């Protein structure tokens, strides 16, 4: 691949430029981005200018640190004043490195780069000096000193640094870091990285029929695969082994520059940056230096350009074309490449998102079928037919006090028919299906994760190893330091950690704020209810007939929109509050910070998104009271009832508006708009010079371009968005079978949107190793668990499924649904209305109403216990509760069975892991035999020698040992 | 420790013996069991005679294989005929080993052992020849050949073998195996054993107050700790690291004989035995050789004697005194020593059993308190007072047709009062408590397990590693071979595994048999019900008044005893059936065999133990019908009712009889009796010689004594017993709060009983590494989950808790329980009895009964719908169901919270693991620096050299490499 590129380089293109470099070089700067040009010395300079390599064009930039310095005077005049401080600074900065070596290098470097521009040698000197001389004011000086110390330590660790102080961005300076081969080796061994060995083996399909089918399927799905060339055939895999310098002969080190890919190199450097401590106070590694502003940013570089057509292929460009592109929305994601470029953690996110989207396809298909079944059977539905039939013209009790009058049930015909779309037996099937779907999704994900772990050589990697690398956060260190300073006046003990008492105020604030926020959410839900009640009453009083006819629609729509807007606003507020609270709490490590933040954000956002929906599903229409003794809020507002046909219809409306609104506005509008806006602001802010944007971009080196990108802020928001969506898809799916479809449509866009963001809008994140998606899996499991219970309650309490069943099998005279509507309506004697609550217009229909009907199971006025809950009520309630128990336990049992039946590790993977291990064992056994053979033949056959070669401490009695050896040989 | 022993050896004691060894040796054979006597050559012989060492007294016997040979003639005359075959056999057996080496050894061996008895040299020759010459008949010859081949391979692997062919047990021959140091090293590295390094660190308690408290507690608990000397102080721990020959300098190898303890040595040898394959056909390692009878047994040796007072201290004796002893029942178990002697798997079992027993203490305390509360409040209980009050003398409907008459409710006074003991509000509290207790137990166990993992250096060990070692079982190999032979006639493909089709018959048999067995259980339960009904009816008809008065008691007791006997018998049958079915299924590996066996045994035994109880709890008394339309089985038997006061009382009786009976008879009687019986049988069988038992035992060597012990049959029966008990403790705890107490009493004995069995009755098991208790944890979780639901149903449906609550809060006129009894009884007009079913003696009480009462919620005869279920019934049912939902979800939520709140890894352990890792990292970093320092100072400072030292394949361009290096140095 890369070999071809070298030949294809086009040297003939020209372009105007303002650089002082020779003409020959100028061409290459803007058109050729070479990967490997060992022989050409001038191109080294080119590559260095392009910013992916050091000035010598040899050493790759693995990481970039930036810092800003507020200059007291012009940048060129300061250089003279530097030398005033040189002696002092050099002495300090070279405490750890041999000064003579530095001098030697400088000489060589200058010699070697004599044919390149004259800038270089001065840069090299700057490298040595740091920028400590440039500022004289206290704080800046302090920062410069700490930079110096830090960079000195980095050099001690073996890293190579280069400074670029006359970049095109004023006030921003760059430190480029390169990790040489021996550092990479050392750290790779240390981090227990698994690398492919030279040993290759063939992955065989066990069964020939299975193989044929899978070949056929993969042929059919061929167009769905992205055009990402894999360098090796699919059925051949390199055996991987933890990298170790002692076992170096196992690995293919023919090309040392590319043995560790760019993401591995940068993560190795980042590891060193995190680990390297400055002596001064508590500052731990780069994170605390970033926190205290000593450096302003730290990031690895992107692989290259994406836009320019002439740019030669790089992984970033490939990703841009084959992944971060709406035109390939129907294709699989090139997860392997994503992982190669962004690391395992981000790779897992996209793999998860991909699987989720894939799994939504069957769910939305079944959802659509269920919806269509509802549409098809709406005309055969006896209850809605009965309501619509003009013969059954039942007089209903008024819906509000005084202003509303009696109404005919047949006016609810439309609602009743619409209800049937979402409230039919298929819904029950669908919610069981979705509960199982969620379980299947979990299982599938576990398997996919395992497969990826295997493919990405993470099988032996322990997360505990990762935890070790989790250094305390800068904020935590700072708090400990503060406490230490406070206490030092009293005692001499060194404070090492924060106790519970220290954290108590923060914990209290957390609890209080969380409760407050949840309270605010509930208050807003309640406010919307009041709005709905009062508006409805007000509109009912309106004289205009049209207004009165559209009361329901107007109120419902406005209320839902208010809800949506409130949810959107509070979502942003809660995100900020959660972050603030977590910062206040000062968790020790990044991992616990992330977990606590996720926990808080999840609770707040979940409550925010679902509390109006839960109100509608379980409380609305249940706290109404009965005619003659309605329940009043604030003594004047009667609680709202559901329309005839249950609250399921309203739940469905609320759900669809919230879900669609959130997805359209929040996910897409915000996610596309805000990063663009931020980028714009950053451009404008730094646009202090006068030159044009595009022109500048062309001239900028890689690390300067990346500096303008948004820093990577973690995957939490991405996951959170998807989890909330997962909630919409599973929690109330019984009431809204189209939810999976909408989620699917959203996610198809979402994948490419996120991909675009990662490839083009963000700085390259440091690759993080991860075996799983961590806490998110638990949250998903939790949501799926809650979904089972909520769906059970929605079916049994919100929908009319159970009353219909009970009527059909217990009360119906002929076993059909005829008479169901009449059965659900209780009788009310209008003379029992409370004073002042009866309708103003009792003869609305032209005749005086004596008995009106209302939807409830209560005794008629003529029974011994009028208006008490009837036997039917208790029977229906018992059946409803029994249904909840049966549904919950059956679904949980089925989930457990699914969990148990589907093995967590796919069979082929477990076989291959087993096979790989056996191959490794064989490899080492062979090596072992080889070793003992050499020893046997060379030395005087002393078996113990082989074993205790390095052992300096064991006191082996020579005669005994010899005796042993003899016996060993003889058997 | 061991140093002292050497000095204390008593050479002066004498004893008579029939051995041909010199007088001096004879003394030591029977009285001195030395561990380390390097200098004394004559004692070597002693130790060898004692059986723990080879004939040379130097090499420890790590493993013993036994085989039996049916001799065609006397054992001494055959030796001559051997040499006829010698040439042939020797040539075959030495195909893999150098023959000259063997000859050399024989010469040396003979020379060295010249001062010992003359038997030895001939044994040495036998060692070479195997026993192949001794038998001429076909099968025996085949076996001998395979033994030879196998032993040859073992020698190739580096093991040292010694044969003992003139032992004191006729027909049984022993192959003693010793693993020399280099083999141990190789295998330890290979098995990734973690061994303590020389580096020691101090475990600090972080907080001084916490430390003080824990010191105080440990001082108070001091007498509860067993007197097992720990060689190192508690707060000092050796840093552990995976053993590696390259890093040998890290480990303390001053005493190579004891660096690997005996359990590690034997498990290493076992590992080799399992791995070593014979070429002949499919035979895989020792398991298949044992399966095909080539060897009769394979076991490691116990550490020494336990009984003799003069025996010097060994781990086995220490365990016997401080662990396997009823007199120390109140003490903690010396788990560390158990693990050291038996390995991690068995150590975990006893740790689990210990924790379970410990956790039972609070549970039984609360249980007793709940029971006492019931006792104390029995006189204040209004419902039972009402029943007992002579004024409320309600006439009840007869309990059986015709022969029974009406009865007065006050006769049920005793039952009602007794019911209250188990059916009171405290029971509800107790079952919630026990559900949480189970969750706490799980969490505690996870933590304990983690702590043990840390203490036993298993933290880095992966179970996957273990899975690799799981070779296919012999039965599986055999089946594959059979199939291969069958198929070979058709095609030339080599069959490698069994397909689903091959297994289908076995699977079908499994399913059918399992269903059949479950059916048998149900049939027996039904049979017992019929017995109860018919006996009751028959006894009621009896003319004797005393018989009639004791009807209830007689029937209940006999039925419960029949149930118990059936359960005990079926338990044994089901154990055998499950094993047979699993063998039929032929799972591939030992692990899957064990899992499948456990699964089947668990299902069968659980159904067996709990189906009568479940019948009583949930079905008895519910399918009765009502007076006038009772439900009949086989047209003549009326279904049984519960006594007044609910079925809880009967459930309690059934539970206590089953549980106590099972524990007393099965666990204790069987477990003590059967091994003793088996041992006796084996003794009698092999007692073909005439000499006395005790005398013989004295003369036997260690490996011969161990041969008479029962082989270790796995931990499955031990765990199964405890799981069933756990079921009794949790599943129906709502009805029997004393269950934890009985379990506690049983387990205190059980621990010591099991310990005794392991220490004295069983051959030493091969130490198996394990991080957890495997499938048992999942089963425990499953039982705890089911327990929540079952307890919810027991409280709401079996007990009268809900009806009482409903009455008190919904129907009671004054909010008290007065009138409850009357409320639960429905009215029946005796004229509505079916013909022939009415009592023969209607005027039993001296007046004609018109209305009798029965316990149910039904409409009275005078209502519009007589005898239909009343509104109260539905209300109570709804509340019952609601209670189930609330109980189940609240308890599940609390379990989840407990699970979430209690971290799986104890904080101190996680801190220590972290600290250890940091120490290890520091150690290696220091080593790293040392290395690079050496290289830096010695070689010409080429950084890359260090890294690519062993790398033969990398093509480094020298000039480039030098350039790199220079730049490295300069920074």
């Amino acid at each position: 691949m890369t070999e071809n590129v070298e030949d294809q380089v086009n040297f003939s293109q020209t372009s105007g430029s303002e650089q002082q470099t020779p003409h020959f070089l100028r061409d290459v700067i803007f058109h050729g981005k070479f990967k490997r040009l060992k022989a050409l010395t001038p191109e080294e300079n080119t590559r260095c200018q392009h910013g992916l390599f050091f000035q010598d064009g040899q050493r790759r930039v693995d990481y970039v640190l930036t810092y800003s310095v507020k200059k007291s005077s012009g940048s060129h005049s300061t250089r003279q004043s530097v030398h005033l401080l040189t002696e002092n600074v050099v002495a300090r900065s070279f405490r750890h490195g041999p000064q003579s070596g530095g001098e030697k290098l400088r000489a060589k470097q200058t010699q070697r780069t004599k044919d390149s521009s004259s800038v270089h040698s001065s840069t090299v000197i700057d490298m040595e000096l740091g920028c400590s001389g440039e500022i004289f004011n206290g704080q800046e000086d302090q920062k410069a000193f700490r930079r110096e110390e830090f960079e000195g330590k980095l050099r001690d660790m073996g890293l190579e640094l280069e400074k670029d102080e006359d970049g095109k961005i004023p006030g921003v300076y760059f430190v480029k870091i390169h990790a040489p081969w021996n550092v990479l080796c050392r750290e790779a061994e240390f981090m227990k990285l698994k690398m492919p060995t030279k040993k290759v083996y063939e992955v065989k399909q066990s069964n020939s029929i299975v193989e044929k089918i899978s070949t056929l399927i993969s042929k059919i799905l061929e167009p769905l695969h992205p055009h990402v060339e894999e360098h090796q055939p699919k059925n051949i895999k390199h055996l991987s082994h933890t990298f170790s310098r002692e076992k170096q002969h196992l690995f293919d080190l023919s090309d040392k520059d590319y043995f560790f890919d760019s993401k591995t190199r940068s993560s190795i450097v980042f590891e060193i940056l995190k680990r390297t401590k400055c002596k001064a106070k508590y500052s731990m590694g780069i994170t605390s230096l970033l926190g205290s502003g000593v450096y302003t940013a730290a990031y690895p570089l992107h692989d290259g350009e994406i836009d320019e057509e002439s740019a030669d292929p790089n992984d970033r460009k490939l990703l841009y074309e084959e992944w971060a592109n709406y035109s390939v929305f129907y294709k699989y994601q090139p997860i392997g490449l994503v992982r190669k470029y962004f690391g395992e953690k981000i790779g897992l996110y996209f793999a998860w998102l991909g699987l989720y989207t894939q799994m939504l396809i069957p769910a939305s298909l079944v959802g659509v079928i269920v919806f269509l079944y509802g549409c098809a059977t709406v005309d055969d539905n006896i209850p809605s037919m009965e309501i619509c039939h003009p013969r059954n013209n039942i007089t209903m009790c008024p819906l509000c006090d005084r202003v509303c009058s009696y109404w005919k049930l047949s006016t609810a015909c439309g609602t009743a028919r619409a209800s049937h779309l979402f409230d039919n037996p298929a819904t029950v099937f669908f919610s069981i299906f979705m509960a199982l779907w969620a379980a299947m999704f979990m299982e599938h994900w576990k398997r996919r994760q395992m497969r990826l772990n295997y493919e990405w050589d993470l099988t032996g990697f322990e997360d505990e190893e990762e935890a070790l690398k989790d250094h305390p956060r800068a904020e935590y260190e700072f708090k400990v330091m503060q406490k230490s300073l406070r206490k030092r006046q009293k005692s001499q003990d060194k404070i090492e950690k924060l106790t519970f008492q220290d954290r108590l105020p923060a914990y209290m604030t957390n609890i209080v704020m969380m409760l407050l926020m949840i309270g605010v959410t509930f208050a807003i839900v309640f406010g919307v209810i009041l709005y709905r009640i009062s508006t409805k009453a007000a509109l009912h009083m309106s004289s205009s007939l049209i207004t009165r006819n559209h009361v329901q629609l107007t109120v419902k729509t406005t209320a839902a929109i208010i809800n949506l807007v409130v949810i959107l606003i509070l979502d942003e507020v809660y995100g900020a509050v959660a972050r603030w609270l977590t910062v206040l709490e000062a968790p020790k490590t990044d991992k616990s910070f992330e977990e606590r933040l996720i926990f808080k954000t999840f609770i707040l956002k979940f409550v925010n998104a679902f509390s109006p929906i839960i109100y509608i599903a379980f409380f609305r229409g249940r706290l109404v009271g009965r005619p003659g003794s309605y329940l009043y809020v604030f003594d004047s507002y009667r609680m709202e009832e559901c329309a005839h046909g249950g609250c399921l219809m309203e739940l469905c409306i609320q759900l669809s508006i919230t879900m669609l609104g959130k997805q359209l506005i929040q996910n897409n509008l915000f996610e596309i708009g805000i990063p663009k806006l931020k980028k714009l602001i950053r451009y404008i802010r730094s646009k202090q010079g006068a030159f044009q944007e595009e022109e500048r971009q062309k001239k900028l080196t890689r690390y300067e371009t990346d500096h303008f990108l948004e820093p990577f802020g973690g995957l939490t928001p991405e996951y959170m968005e998807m989890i909330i969506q997962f909630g919409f898809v599973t929690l109330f799916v019984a009431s809204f079978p189209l939810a999976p479809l909408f989620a699917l449509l959203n996610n198809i866009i979402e994948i490419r949107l996120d991909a675009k963001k990662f490839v083009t809008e963000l700085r390259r994140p440091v690759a993080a190793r991860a075996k799983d998606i961590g806490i998110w899996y638990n949250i998903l499991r939790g949501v799926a668990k809650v979904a089972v219970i909520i769906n059970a309650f929605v079916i049994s309490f919100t929908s009319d499924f159970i009353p219909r069943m009970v009527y059909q099998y217990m009360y119906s005279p002929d076993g059909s649904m005829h008479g169901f509507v009449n059965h659900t309506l209780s009788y009310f004697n209008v003379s029992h209305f409370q004073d002042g609550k009866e309708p103003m217009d009792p003869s609305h229909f032209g005749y005086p109403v004596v008995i009106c009907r209302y939807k409830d199971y209560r005794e008629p006025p003529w029974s011994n216990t009028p208006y008490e809950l009837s036997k039917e009520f208790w029977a229906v309630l018992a059946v409803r509760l029994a249904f909840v128990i049966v549904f919950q336990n059956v679904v949980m049992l089925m989930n457990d069975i699914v969990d148990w039946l589907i093995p967590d590790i796919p069979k082929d993977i477990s076989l291959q892991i087993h096979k790989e291990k056996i191959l490794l064992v064989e490899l080492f056994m062979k090596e072992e035999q080889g070793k003992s053979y050499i020893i046997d033949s060379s030395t005087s056959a002393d078996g113990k020698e082989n074993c205790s070669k390095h052992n300096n401490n064991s006191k082996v009695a020579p005669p005994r040992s010899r005796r042993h050896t003899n016996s060993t040989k003889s058997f």
Side-chain angles (χ1 to χ4, degrees), chain A residues 790-843:
Chain A
I790 287 194
N791 275 313
F793 275 97
V794 166
I795 293 173
S796 66
F797 282 93
T798 314
S799 89
D800 267 349
F801 176 70
I802 301 292
R804 281 201 301 265
M805 289 291 112
V806 170
Y807 177 75
Q808 193 162 6
Y809 296 107
M810 274 175 74
Y811 296 104
S812 173
D814 55 356
S816 77
M817 289 299 293
H818 290 289
F820 171 70
V821 174
N822 189 43
H823 182 256
T824 58
L825 298 174
S826 298
Y827 297 88
F828 182 69
N829 190 330
V830 296
S831 64
H832 295 147
F833 266 126
Q834 283 169 283
D835 289 340
K837 304 286 180 184
E838 70 272 9
M840 292 187 294
D841 184 12
S843 307

Side-chain angles (χ1 to χ4, degrees), chain A residues 869-884:
Chain A
L869 294 169
S870 66
K871 192 161 132 184
E872 283 79 22
F873 172 83
W874 291 108
V876 167
L877 183 64
V879 176
R880 279 180 158 157
L881 291 166
F883 178 83
V884 170

Side-chain angles (χ1 to χ4, degrees), chain A residues 39 109 125 157 170 197 253 268 312 350 416 446 509 525 527 545 548 557 568 570 585 677 684 716 736 819 849 957:
Chain A
Q109 196 91 356
I125 293 166
M157 292 303 297
T197 61
L253 300 180
I268 284 175
D312 60 72
F350 281 105
K446 269 197 267 180
T509 320
V525 171
L545 191 73
R548 262 151 69 191
T557 318
L568 289 179
L570 281 189
E585 214 182 332
L677 211 72
I684 291 166
T716 308
F736 187 39
V849 175

Side-chain angles (χ1 to χ4, degrees), chain A residues 487-520:
Chain A
K487 287 279 168 92
R488 198 162 290 164
Q489 294 154 352
K490 293 176 197 165
S491 70
Q492 288 301 315
D493 292 352
K494 199 185 165 196
I495 309 294
E496 276 177 351
K497 60 169 195 171
L498 295 180
T499 60
F500 183 75
Q501 281 179 338
D502 299 322
R503 288 165 177 280
L504 199 62
Y507 283 149
M508 291 308 294
T509 320
N510 259 287
I511 293 168
V512 169
M513 279 302 288
M514 290 289 284
L515 290 178
L516 187 72
M517 289 292 113
I518 292 172
V520 166

